Amino acid sequence: MKLPAFLHLRRLEGRIVALFLALLVLVQLTSWMITYANIRRSTEVAVEAELKTGQRMLGHLLAQDAQQRVAVLRQLENNHGIRSVLAEAAGMPATEFADTLFSALDSKNSQLVDASVIAYVSADFRLVTATRPQAEAFVALLPALIQAKEAEDAGNEPSGRASLALVGGRAYQLVFVPVKAAGLGGWLMMAVDLQSEPLRELQTLSGLRSVFLLRPAEGQAWAPLGSVLDAATTGQVAGQVQAAEPTFSLQLGEEEMRGLYVPLLRSGDQQLAVLLLRSFDQAFESYRTLRQTLGTLTVLGILAFALGSVLTARRISRPIKTLADSAERLGAGDYATPVAQDGSADEVGDLARAFEAMRQGIQQRDASLNELAFQDQLTRLPNRAGFVQVLERWLNGHAEAPCAVLTLGLDRFKHVNDVQGHDFGDLLLQKVAQRLQALLPASEDALARLNGDEFALLLSQADESAALALADAIHRDFERPLRIKDQTVDLSAGIGLALAPAHGREAKQLLSRATLAMFEAKKRQNGSVFYSASLDAGSQESLSLLSELRHAVEAGELRLYLQPKVDLQSGRIISAEALVRWQHPERGLVPPMQFIPFAEQTGFIRALTAWVIEASAAAWAQARAQDLALRISVNLSTRDLLDQDLPAKIQAMLDAHGARSDALCLEITESAIMDDPQRALHTLQQLQERGFKMSIDDFGTGYSSLAYLKRLPVHELKIDKSFVMAMESDLGDAKIVRSTIELAHNLGLSVVAEGVESAKAWRLLAALGCDEGQGYFIAKPMPQEQFLDWLRAWRAPEIGSIGADTMLSQLD
């Protein structure tokens, strides 16, 4: 038997109906569960409130009973006949005393007396007479009770009082009044066994069931004293008491109850409490009508929704089935038969018209358009769109697998194109494509030409090390020049790398980030660069980092570190280089290389430079206050030099701390000058006019140092540490250091050597005439707070015996 379409889950009608009904059932069940939970919670709150109310009512009932019994004692105390009896009460038998009392009271109060122990006690708390023999036990309690009540009266004249007492394993309500008749004094006392009468009154008033409980000692079981329950139930309740929790649940047979434990009295090890009980099932049952109504509405809603979803599904599925038939014809290559349309203006009608437009478009095009759209015609490789398509397919098919995207940009390709012609350039690109194709390690890897001299590579199943290995392989392969038309062409390229999922899971995003890294690699001329957030000033990560940097300046998270510079001839510390560190509240001490390049890219470096200059001026002032001579070197970036107001800003910060221009030495790198030589030179000349000492940092690592050196108003050269650290073992580096020192001295400049890591390096530099040294052998950068103490304790090491004559002789 064939099922109707709306019952077949593989058909659209069936899925629509199933989805709608599933959603409705889910919503209704969720609503039902939430409503049920709220009803149950409301019942819990109501029951708890009833128990609390019952606690207060029981207190009122006990207080009323006590007041009634006090009134009885007052009636006795005021009765002239009783006073006469009390005057002669010593030695009076209990039965005679009781009969006398009964005769003095009305019938109602006589019943109260009959159920009690009444005693007359002298002022010194001796039992004079009583209606029952066991009165001695109550008399023993009377002094402490009276003392407590007198303390409560706070000095007022004592009146009738009541209190609970535990005697002989029973609980009693003990009331007492002073006898004020002349010549008598003492106390009248009544002890009433606390049984179930107040509990029955409570049940009548509130419907709560309750039990008086007594525990003879800590750790022993509770014993019932009075109860409105039957004996078996009372014993079951006593066994479930939870004194640690005032309100708790307990089960009596099949009935769920809520109990409220109320402590009444603790006397020594004995404890008296009352347990109030309310049936949770009965309280919850009061909401039955509401639950039944909700259930009925739920069922009716599901039925109505089912009918509506079936009708809706049929209305949608029938025209879609017609369109599906048309799509099958188009898939089979039948472009001549028009798509059937019913002229409706709804979404299905729009879909039918779109199908017809598609049919007409397909009919007018041929398969070559696909090839033109996704293939580079010169190299027959995928173009940018084709590469994005390949990358998207791989990412979608390997959701959790890593991969790498490499973008490669040839160096000097425009120059080759201009000199040798475009035909030569096309041949060069084809040869490069062949080389790159041969380097791909796996069949799933892909190569594409993006545009011009840029290529992209997909390295599947690759992590950071595998991507870097491929980039290194490309660089090594490019070390072999190409031969094209009897011309030799040297190859080099900048390569940018982006990893999935670390740098994204979207094809266009990965390609864009790899391209950013490629531009950075070409800019730095250092081969390969991995993408980082600092390269992308528009990324969310970089925006977050910029916000954190701004907060770091405002919140005082930056720290000034100083690294000393020593006069290599005298051994005196004469200056120090200012360095900035970021004390991040979560990541700890952040080194400068993790935020300085980003600050330079975004322009925030100006704010960091201003902070360093301000902190350096303050450090100089602190050193001067302690009679310590110190000059602090501060690095300036490209963006700093392009700021024509920089000299005035620096001077203002120095003036604020009473510092002169000779307090600072401003260090600049060659690359900072080369970005805009004219503006940078103008800024440097202004700084020179104000008396600032200036230094060329990392000298010897650029391309045009000598060409610009003679034009720059500088006073000092800093030899890059890469030469200094290697000169002990590399004669070539030692000669470069010597030549740089001689060149600087011939130009009238002083020389600072970075990277002094050993006593031998100090000895060699001093012998070569270097003026100052800086490095870990002298001291590592240290917080500004520690620097002055270190400076006062500094003693130059003895290096005269360090052997360096062999190296020096080789340099001659």
Side-chain angles (χ1 to χ4, degrees):
M1 178 179 174
K2 186 176 180 180
L3 292 174
F6 67 85
L7 294 179
H8 204 303
L9 292 181
R10 293 191 176 183
R11 302 295 298 273
L12 179 60
E13 285 187 37
R15 289 198 293 271
I16 291 176
V17 172
L19 176 62
F20 283 9
L21 286 179
L23 289 175
L24 178 63
V25 170
L26 178 62
V27 170
Q28 292 291 76
L29 285 177
T30 303
S31 174
W32 173 264
M33 292 172 63
I34 293 174
T35 303
Y36 182 86
N38 286 334
I39 292 175
R40 189 171 180 87
R41 177 57 187 160
S42 298
T43 305
E44 294 275 5
V45 172
V47 168
E48 186 173 347
E50 288 184 38
L51 291 173
K52 294 291 185 181
T53 301
Q55 177 184 353
R56 291 190 294 270
M57 291 178 65
L58 179 61
H60 289 313
L61 290 174
L62 292 176
Q64 289 175 1
D65 287 348
Q67 291 172 3
Q68 186 177 3
R69 292 183 174 101
V70 167
V72 172
L73 291 183
R74 284 292 178 202
Q75 181 181 350
L76 291 174
E77 192 265 340
N78 291 325
N79 186 287
H80 292 289
I82 296 300
R83 288 184 180 180
S84 300
V85 173
L86 293 179
E88 302 173 358
M92 181 181 290
T95 55
E96 183 180 344
F97 183 59
D99 292 341
T100 304
L101 291 179
F102 297 159
S103 64
L105 297 173
D106 55 35
S107 60
K108 179 180 178 181
N109 288 333
S110 295
Q111 294 174 358
L112 286 173
V113 172
D114 189 44
S116 309
V117 176
I118 298 178
Y120 172 47
V121 181
S122 66
D124 57 356
F125 302 109
R126 289 182 299 101
L127 177 64
V128 177
T129 185
T131 60
R132 300 204 181 164
Q134 61 266 42
E136 284 287 356
F138 300 107
V139 173
L141 298 174
L142 192 58
L145 295 177
I146 292 175
Q147 183 178 3
K149 296 304 179 181
E150 288 177 346
E152 291 181 11
D153 290 337
N156 296 327
E157 183 179 356
S159 59
R161 292 294 185 176
S163 181
L164 296 177
L166 297 175
V167 175
R170 300 293 300 175
Y172 295 86
Q173 189 176 58
L174 198 63
V175 295
F176 46 91
V177 297
V179 178
K180 300 178 182 179
L184 291 179
W187 301 82
L188 274 177
M189 181 185 69
M190 179 187 296
V192 182
D193 194 353
L194 192 66
Q195 296 182 351
S196 58
E197 184 57 33
L199 304 183
R200 283 192 291 272
E201 292 184 30
L202 178 64
Q203 184 178 21
T204 301
L205 294 173
S206 66
L208 299 179
R209 288 170 277 181
S210 50
V211 180
F212 281 128
L213 298 170
L214 175 67
R215 183 158 65 180
E218 194 71 34
Q220 295 187 11
W222 292 90
L225 292 181
S227 173
V228 298
L229 305 172
D230 59 70
T233 305
T234 300
Q236 185 181 356
V237 168
Q240 299 185 49
V241 173
Q242 301 177 26
E245 300 179 12
T247 305
F248 56 93
S249 300
L250 65 160
Q251 196 73 28
L252 296 181
E254 297 182 357
E255 186 175 15
E256 184 179 0
M257 306 290 291
R258 294 293 181 272
L260 178 63
Y261 168 83
V262 182
L264 297 178
L265 177 65
R266 186 181 186 98
S267 177
D269 292 336
Q270 297 183 87
Q271 297 178 53
L272 175 65
V274 64
L275 184 64
L276 304 178
L277 299 173
R278 176 67 166 97
S279 173
F280 182 83
D281 291 341
Q282 291 179 2
F284 191 67
E285 188 66 17
S286 62
Y287 293 96
R288 174 186 292 180
T289 303
L290 175 60
R291 298 200 304 273
Q292 290 176 344
T293 302
L294 288 175
T296 301
L297 291 176
T298 298
V299 172
L300 292 176
I302 291 175
L303 293 176
F305 209 77
L307 179 59
S309 62
V310 169
L311 297 176
T312 301
R314 285 184 175 178
R315 186 173 181 275
I316 294 174
S317 64
R318 285 177 180 173
I320 290 178
K321 177 63 171 64
T322 302
L323 292 177
D325 295 338
S326 298
E328 288 181 3
R329 289 196 302 272
L330 291 174
D334 180 6
Y335 305 131
T337 306
V339 176
Q341 302 181 51
D342 59 6
S344 60
D346 58 11
E347 289 81 357
V348 177
D350 293 340
L351 182 60
R353 288 185 287 274
F355 262 75
E356 175 60 16
M358 180 184 69
R359 181 193 66 81
Q360 295 174 5
I362 293 174
Q363 195 174 26
Q364 295 168 6
R365 293 168 179 84
D366 57 31
S368 63
L369 289 178
N370 256 348
E371 183 179 339
L372 292 173
F374 297 105
Q375 190 177 76
D376 174 54
Q377 298 304 300
L378 176 64
T379 60
R380 296 297 172 181
L381 295 173
N383 59 13
R384 179 181 293 273
F387 183 76
V388 170
Q389 192 178 65
V390 171
L391 183 54
E392 284 179 342
R393 281 200 302 266
W394 196 92
L395 292 171
N396 293 334
H398 305 78
E400 302 298 328
C403 72
V405 174
L406 293 77
T407 55
L408 178 147
L410 296 176
D411 295 330
R412 302 177 299 280
F413 177 74
K414 184 178 184 300
H415 176 74
V416 172
N417 231 15
D418 293 342
V419 174
Q420 299 293 338
H422 290 284
D423 292 340
F424 188 91
D426 290 345
L427 289 173
L428 173 62
L429 292 174
Q430 290 173 338
K431 293 289 186 181
V432 169
Q434 293 171 8
R435 281 200 177 186
L436 293 175
Q437 189 72 56
L439 292 174
L440 293 179
S443 59
E444 285 189 311
D445 300 338
L447 172 67
R449 181 191 172 203
L450 301 180
N451 53 55
D453 62 348
E454 295 181 9
F455 292 84
L457 299 92
L458 165 62
L459 190 60
S460 60
Q461 305 289 349
D463 55 11
E464 180 177 340
S465 60
L468 192 58
L470 178 59
D472 291 341
I474 293 172
H475 288 306
R476 289 194 301 271
D477 186 79
F478 278 16
E479 291 175 0
R480 296 184 295 111
L482 278 174
R483 292 285 297 176
I484 302 175
K485 294 182 178 180
D486 297 327
Q487 296 288 329
T488 301
V489 181
D490 291 322
L491 294 176
S492 63
I495 300 177
L497 304 96
L499 304 173
H503 300 144
R505 292 296 301 183
E506 296 182 4
K508 291 182 179 179
Q509 184 184 55
L510 286 171
L511 184 58
S512 172
R513 291 182 169 180
T515 303
L516 279 175
M518 179 197 70
F519 290 149
E520 185 67 18
K522 292 173 72 70
K523 177 181 176 182
R524 298 181 190 174
Q525 296 184 347
N526 63 347
S528 304
V529 170
F530 275 97
Y531 168 81
S532 65
S534 62
L535 300 179
D536 187 358
S539 70
Q540 184 63 38
E541 296 92 335
S542 64
L543 291 176
S544 175
L545 179 60
L546 181 59
S547 175
E548 288 191 43
L549 268 177
R550 292 187 190 279
H551 177 76
V553 175
E554 297 168 359
E557 295 176 3
L558 299 183
R559 302 289 182 268
L560 180 68
Y561 275 54
L562 296 174
Q563 185 175 27
K565 300 179 184 179
V566 66
D567 185 320
L568 294 174
Q569 308 302 325
S570 66
R572 291 186 303 108
I573 302 298
I574 57 177
S575 62
E577 181 175 2
L579 304 168
V580 63
R581 299 291 187 268
W582 181 5
Q583 187 65 49
H584 195 281
E586 296 177 359
R587 291 181 282 179
L589 197 63
V590 182
M593 285 308 295
Q594 292 188 15
F595 63 92
I596 293 295
F598 172 75
E600 289 178 342
Q601 181 188 9
T602 58
F604 192 72
I605 191 66
R606 289 185 179 182
L608 291 183
T609 301
W611 184 92
V612 173
I613 293 174
E614 181 81 24
S616 299
W620 179 90
Q622 184 180 1
R624 184 183 182 189
Q626 300 181 28
D627 295 327
L628 296 174
L630 184 67
R631 183 178 69 249
I632 299 178
S633 298
V634 177
N635 290 281
L636 299 181
S637 71
T638 302
R639 292 181 183 268
D640 293 321
L641 291 180
L642 297 181
D643 182 4
Q644 300 299 299
D645 296 328
L646 178 67
K649 292 177 180 177
I650 296 178
Q651 190 65 58
M653 285 185 278
L654 291 178
D655 292 344
H657 293 278
R660 303 184 302 273
S661 57
D662 60 359
L664 297 183
C665 175
L666 304 177
E667 296 186 0
I668 55 177
T669 60
E670 181 187 350
S671 61
I673 303 168
M674 295 300 296
D675 282 351
D676 192 338
Q678 295 304 319
R679 290 181 65 183
L681 184 59
H682 178 68
T683 303
L684 293 175
Q685 289 171 344
Q686 286 186 300
L687 291 170
Q688 182 192 36
E689 292 170 0
R690 291 178 180 268
F692 289 101
K693 180 179 180 180
M694 284 171 287
S695 174
I696 294 289
D697 197 9
D698 298 335
F699 183 78
T701 59
Y703 294 100
S704 306
S705 298
L706 296 179
Y708 281 91
L709 185 58
K710 61 183 181 181
R711 299 174 53 191
L712 299 176
V714 296
H715 310 86
E716 177 184 276
L717 293 184
K718 292 188 72 174
I719 305 175
D720 187 70
K721 64 182 179 181
S722 61
F723 301 113
V724 177
M725 294 174 67
M727 70 177 186
E728 295 181 43
S729 57
D730 190 320
L731 186 60
D733 283 328
K735 290 180 178 180
I736 291 174
V737 172
R738 182 188 66 179
S739 300
T740 304
I741 295 172
E742 292 174 352
L743 172 65
H745 286 168
N746 289 335
L747 293 173
L749 307 177
S750 61
V751 182
V752 178
E754 293 184 296
V756 179
E757 304 293 313
S758 65
K760 184 177 180 181
W762 184 332
R763 177 78 173 83
L764 285 171
L765 290 168
L768 293 174
C770 186
D771 300 290
E772 298 177 33
Q774 175 183 352
Y776 279 14
F777 178 70
I778 302 163
K780 295 181 179 180
M782 65 190 77
Q784 175 252 334
E785 297 84 0
Q786 303 175 10
F787 182 80
L788 295 182
D789 292 336
W790 178 90
L791 181 58
R792 281 191 294 268
W794 162 257
R795 297 292 181 272
E798 180 59 48
I799 63 169
S801 61
I802 302 297
D805 295 338
T806 302
M807 175 67 74
L808 292 171
S809 65
Q810 292 176 342
L811 293 175
D812 294 334

